[in-house]
Amino acid sequence: MPVDAILGLQWGDEGKGKIVDYLADQYHAVCRFQGGPNAGHTLWIQGKKIVLHTLPSGIFRSNTLNLIGNGVVIDPITLSKEIDTVHSDIPDLIDRLFISRKAHLILPTHRWIDLASEHAKGKQKIGSTLRGIGPCYMDKTGRNGLRIGDINQNSFRSDYFALKEKHLQFLKQFPQADFNIEEEEQKWFDSIEKINQLQSINAEYWLNSMLVKNASVLAEGAQGTMLDVDFGTYPYVTSSNTIAAGICTGLGIAPNKIRKVIGIAKAYCTRVGSGPFPSELLDETGEKLRKEGNEFGSTTGRPRRCGWLDLVQLRYSVMINGVTDLCITKIDVLNHFEEIKMVNGYVLNNNEQTNELPFHLETIKHVTTTPLKGWQQELSNITDKEHLPSEVKSFLNSIQTNTTIPVSILSTGPGRDELMIF
Ligand code: GDP
Ligand code: IMO
Ligand code: MG
């Protein structure tokens, strides 16, 4: 059976974790294919909030296997903490969790470099989560990295110290940044011992043989399309391919194995960290979106910037990912707005109008919007499409018409079952 995917279409935090957790019991395996502990995927399990950073969001489904793919970068400290946090709720976690031997390791010095280089950037800082993501992917593509499969090699410790030494030399170019390397290194080696107990495998063989046996697989994206290193708002992006193409390189499967690409977008937009954000609202409407949507980062707690849904941006993401189905989340956050807007075009600094993303989003002078009437009522008691207020139907119709993609999932609250499948 082919692979389906869940991917973020905006700047991350679209609600991927919740939807993956909901759908996971329909799949034999859930696989993370890129990113690392910069991700924060929130699940609500029996009234308890759980934020996953490296573990796939299928772990709470007892019949589902979970894979951390080769495209993911792993911080052993975060991963072992995460496993400790959920272990009492999932006694068989270790039996259902697999890690690709080809996944790269985040070293303490990767986090140190992240910190020092962000500080040095001053006003131009990316707003990184400082989890060492960029420096780790740099070592991967620079062919210096250490991988899960290296842990049991005799040279592992000496390779670690050689790479650390390179990092210390590199760090000399930056002003000093506070980092307790001895303490972090001790924690790192302790955590390496722990994650070495996990099942590390040649995941590309494992996954492809599952597909041959007709298993169904769900690929779980992290971040979002606008944070993709190639197609996002570069340089204000993360360091991996967050888009559908990243599934193939991040798991070792061929493009013709991918069937459904479920693209997730919030009913409005958010962004955490720096960089252009055309539909951002710096007024009380933006403030209201942040308050109603509780828009604070799952990984860093930072307030998220908020703005209206941007159809130009959404169409771009649909195109880049080959989205087959849309999932709109957090529709309930708009319950108490008299008027809701959608961005339908951009006016550039040279007064040219466009409905394409320009090379530099900073060249957008202002956005143009379409107003829609709000529904001003709760949606929590509605369980099917027919009973949705006509204003919600119009809102969804506008998205479908503009993207030509059907909305097949509508999320109406953070809880696992607060959603409608159309
Ligand atoms: P992810 O990174 O894409 O998994 O998203 P995050 O977990 O970082 O952020 C999404 C936030 O919205 C979390 O706090 C979720 O619990 C919450 N959430 C998800 N879906 C909905 C929804 O439909 N309505 C509301 N109100 N909250 C939601
Ligand atoms: P999930 O999977 C939202 C943002 C950071 C920063 C930029 C680069 O939860 O949707 P990095 O740490 O990768 O060097 O940061 O990307 N960012 C995210 N924003 N959700 C995420 O993940 C993010 N992961 C990274 O805020 O602007
Ligand atoms: Mg998140």
Side-chain angles (χ1 to χ4, degrees), residues 13-17 40-42 44 298 304 330 332 411-414:
D13 303 328
E14 296 90 347
K16 299 173 290 293
H41 295 180
T42 313
W44 281 89
S298 312
R304 295 176 183 146
K330 304 193 92 161
D332 54 301
S411 179
T412 55

Side-chain angles (χ1 to χ4, degrees), residues 11-13 16 38-41 126-129 222-223 237-238 272 302:
W11 281 273
D13 303 328
K16 299 173 290 293
N38 48 351
H41 295 180
I126 309 282
S128 164
T129 60
Q223 290 80 54
V237 292
T238 190
V272 60
R302 292 177 292 176

Side-chain angles (χ1 to χ4, degrees), residues 59-230:
I59 49 158
F60 282 92
R61 298 293 195 172
S62 53
N63 292 322
T64 308
L65 304 178
N66 289 268
L67 172 71
I68 302 171
N70 60 280
V72 177
V73 288
I74 297 174
D75 186 336
I77 302 176
T78 323
L79 178 56
S80 61
K81 258 197 224 147
E82 231 176 301
I83 290 173
D84 288 347
T85 311
V86 298
H87 206 240
S88 59
D89 293 323
I90 318 173
D92 66 339
L93 169 71
I94 304 303
D95 302 332
R96 292 190 290 109
L97 179 65
F98 299 85
I99 307 191
S100 167
R101 291 201 170 108
K102 294 192 169 77
H104 278 247
L105 288 165
I106 299 176
L107 273 58
T109 36
H110 284 137
R111 283 191 285 128
W112 195 358
I113 294 171
D114 221 358
L115 185 71
S117 72
E118 272 284 86
H119 276 334
K121 282 190 170 133
K123 278 197 173 146
Q124 263 90 48
K125 73 173 191 272
I126 309 282
S128 164
T129 60
L130 304 179
R131 298 300 189 266
I133 306 293
C136 184
Y137 279 116
M138 276 165 69
D139 271 338
K140 174 178 176 172
T141 50
R143 296 159 296 179
N144 294 312
L146 288 178
R147 300 182 290 175
I148 289 286
D150 294 324
I151 294 175
N152 289 322
Q153 303 293 312
N154 291 334
S155 60
F156 182 63
R157 279 187 84 88
S158 59
D159 290 344
Y160 166 85
F161 284 106
L163 186 52
K164 175 188 166 188
E165 191 47 43
K166 269 192 198 165
H167 290 164
L168 295 179
Q169 292 302 323
F170 185 71
L171 274 161
K172 283 186 180 156
Q173 69 186 292
F174 299 112
Q176 276 218 326
D178 254 3
F179 194 86
N180 189 335
I181 184 64
E182 285 78 21
E183 197 182 303
E184 293 300 324
E185 193 165 82
Q186 186 56 49
K187 280 197 261 175
W188 194 82
F189 276 111
D190 292 346
S191 306
I192 285 283
E193 295 284 311
K194 277 171 84 174
I195 66 164
N196 204 20
Q197 311 301 314
L198 302 175
Q199 306 181 69
S200 61
I201 57 169
N202 294 330
E204 57 279 29
Y205 279 113
W206 181 84
L207 200 51
N208 280 288
S209 64
M210 288 225 304
L211 293 175
V212 169
K213 288 183 219 143
N214 252 348
S216 55
V217 170
L218 183 63
E220 175 182 4
Q223 290 80 54
T225 303
M226 300 315 290
L227 292 171
D228 180 88
V229 66
D230 283 279

